[in-house]
Amino acid sequence: MATFFNGEYLNDRLAPQILRELKDDKDDFLQAIPDAPEEAITEEGLRLLLIKETVTGDINPGADYDDNDVNELDSDKAIIGWDSLSTKPTKVTKDAIRASVYDKRNEIRVQHTRVLRRLYRDLIIHSLAPADDTDAKLPVLRTTGELVGGRRRLTIEDIINYQDALRALNVEEEGWNIRLSRVHLTDLLLKTKDNQEFRDLYHDRKTGEIMNLYNFNFWWGNHQLYYSNAGVKKARGAAVVAGDQIASLFWQEEYVCKAMGMVMAHLDPMSQNTRSNPPKEEFRLTAYAKAMLKHEQGTGALVSNFE
């Protein structure tokens, strides 16, 4: 490993090897969260129309139906406001651009774009996760596996039990997805008495891919979702304290949606900077975005049990 010092090479030197710090950008699970229809996207937010199921019926009806038996279709409407995303400004000076061995302006834009996409990913994860474990329609189940460091591992039995909980709620069975947290993925891959079947049958050892099983499509990534020991979802970036536990996110595709509204690039250009020496410019990105449940159910979480 090379020893690095702060600074850059001047462009009259031999070109160095350009190295970039790599961060987790894994967001392939987004393809399993439908985009909101363009017609629903407005400047105010997302327009929703909930069509209620009012039709009922009888087996072996007896007497003729009267006016009290006649139903009409009913619906409710709402506008859900946007969330705001913003990267923090990056500045660059004329001297830094002149002396750089790479296109610094372009690199700034590339990095801001990557960060904005991460913010969008994190917003979706935290928006779809239940606020706590008190709503029976949004099941939050605790893991029951081997106790390691005060945490119960995730097991195949937990996933089967979660499947049963969803069926008890009559959640539409197609489009079930679980985004496994890093530690829950590791739990399933370790050779334990609880997960031997998973290791042998549902894991490709060459590629690391997890096969779909028990009606779930599996995804995973490094960005973590946390719940407190009391079962309350932690805010993104909140400090993790003793008892907080990592969680995996469940969603059913037809019950959720996402949308990216207007994205704007903000540039305070160097060409209009008349006072700074050397002249400088600043750049950042902002966007409006939303991820949400369309119904009263359709998401949930598997949370490590803490003992």
Side-chain angles (χ1 to χ4, degrees):
M1 177 65 185
T3 300
F4 290 91
F5 302 92
N6 184 258
E8 297 181 9
Y9 295 94
L10 296 178
N11 58 14
D12 59 350
R13 305 285 185 89
L14 294 176
Q17 181 182 4
I18 302 298
L19 305 177
R20 285 182 172 81
E21 184 178 8
L22 299 179
K23 297 286 184 70
D24 171 39
D25 289 321
K26 186 172 175 59
D27 59 5
D28 54 349
F29 74 98
L30 295 181
Q31 64 189 276
I33 300 175
D35 291 322
E38 290 188 10
E39 296 82 0
I41 299 175
T42 71
E43 292 183 356
E44 296 176 284
L46 298 183
R47 294 184 297 182
L48 299 181
L49 182 67
L50 174 62
I51 301 175
K52 301 178 180 179
E53 185 174 296
T54 57
V55 176
T56 59
D58 296 310
I59 297 175
N60 297 324
D64 294 344
Y65 293 119
D66 58 27
D67 290 344
N68 293 327
D69 297 311
V70 178
N71 295 314
E72 294 184 29
L73 287 180
D74 191 16
S75 61
D76 291 331
K77 62 182 180 179
I79 294 181
I80 308 300
W82 293 107
D83 288 308
S84 178
L85 307 178
S86 177
T87 61
K88 293 184 178 180
T90 300
K91 70 176 181 179
V92 63
T93 66
K94 180 180 178 181
D95 289 351
I97 292 175
R98 178 187 63 82
S100 180
V101 297
Y102 63 95
D103 187 340
K104 185 164 286 190
R105 279 192 174 112
N106 181 68
E107 180 65 20
I108 289 172
R109 284 158 176 76
V110 168
Q111 289 194 23
H112 277 260
T113 300
R114 290 209 311 259
V115 169
L116 189 70
R117 187 168 182 87
R118 285 185 211 134
L119 293 173
Y120 185 42
R121 174 199 65 186
D122 298 353
L123 170 71
I124 291 171
I125 293 173
H126 286 265
S127 295
L128 297 185
D132 53 46
D133 59 3
T134 61
D135 190 342
K137 293 182 179 179
L138 305 173
V140 176
L141 268 62
R142 296 283 181 163
T143 57
T144 62
E146 177 187 1
L147 185 62
V148 179
R151 182 185 72 87
R152 291 284 180 184
R153 293 193 187 278
L154 177 69
T155 69
I156 291 298
E157 184 177 350
D158 294 329
I159 293 174
I160 295 172
N161 288 335
Y162 199 78
Q163 179 190 59
D164 181 66
L166 295 173
R167 285 179 173 153
L169 293 171
N170 202 27
V171 175
E172 174 68 36
E173 294 216 12
E174 294 184 359
W176 287 6
N177 295 271
I178 292 179
R179 182 186 182 273
L180 292 167
S181 69
R182 170 179 47 81
V183 296
H184 286 168
L185 174 62
T186 301
D187 289 342
L188 294 178
L189 296 182
L190 287 173
K191 187 175 182 179
T192 67
K193 60 181 179 61
D194 297 315
N195 296 325
Q196 186 63 50
E197 178 186 9
F198 181 88
R199 278 178 52 87
D200 294 342
L201 299 179
Y202 298 104
H203 171 236
D204 189 321
R205 298 181 182 181
K206 292 183 178 180
T207 65
E209 293 293 320
I210 294 179
M211 302 177 192
N212 300 334
L213 74 157
Y214 304 131
N215 214 36
F216 291 109
N217 303 313
F218 284 99
W219 313 87
W220 63 94
N222 284 337
H223 176 71
Q224 305 303 328
L225 174 68
Y226 284 91
Y227 281 78
S228 71
N229 196 36
V232 178
K233 179 176 62 177
K234 303 274 292 187
R236 177 187 180 272
V240 178
V241 299
D244 291 345
Q245 290 300 316
I246 208 162
S248 296
L249 174 68
F250 163 79
W251 72 95
Q252 200 281 348
E253 293 177 19
E254 295 303 315
Y255 289 70
V256 299
C257 67
K258 67 181 188 301
M260 176 72 84
M262 179 179 64
V263 179
M264 181 175 292
H266 304 266
L267 176 66
D268 186 3
M270 190 179 301
S271 61
Q272 297 181 22
N273 187 302
T274 61
R275 298 193 178 190
S276 298
N277 287 308
K280 67 178 182 179
E281 66 184 29
E282 294 184 356
F283 179 84
R284 74 176 177 129
L285 292 175
T286 62
Y288 292 106
K290 196 69 183 178
M292 57 174 292
L293 270 168
K294 297 188 291 184
H295 301 278
E296 295 179 340
Q297 60 184 26
T299 69
L302 286 157
V303 183
S304 293
N305 197 22
F306 178 78
E307 297 181 13

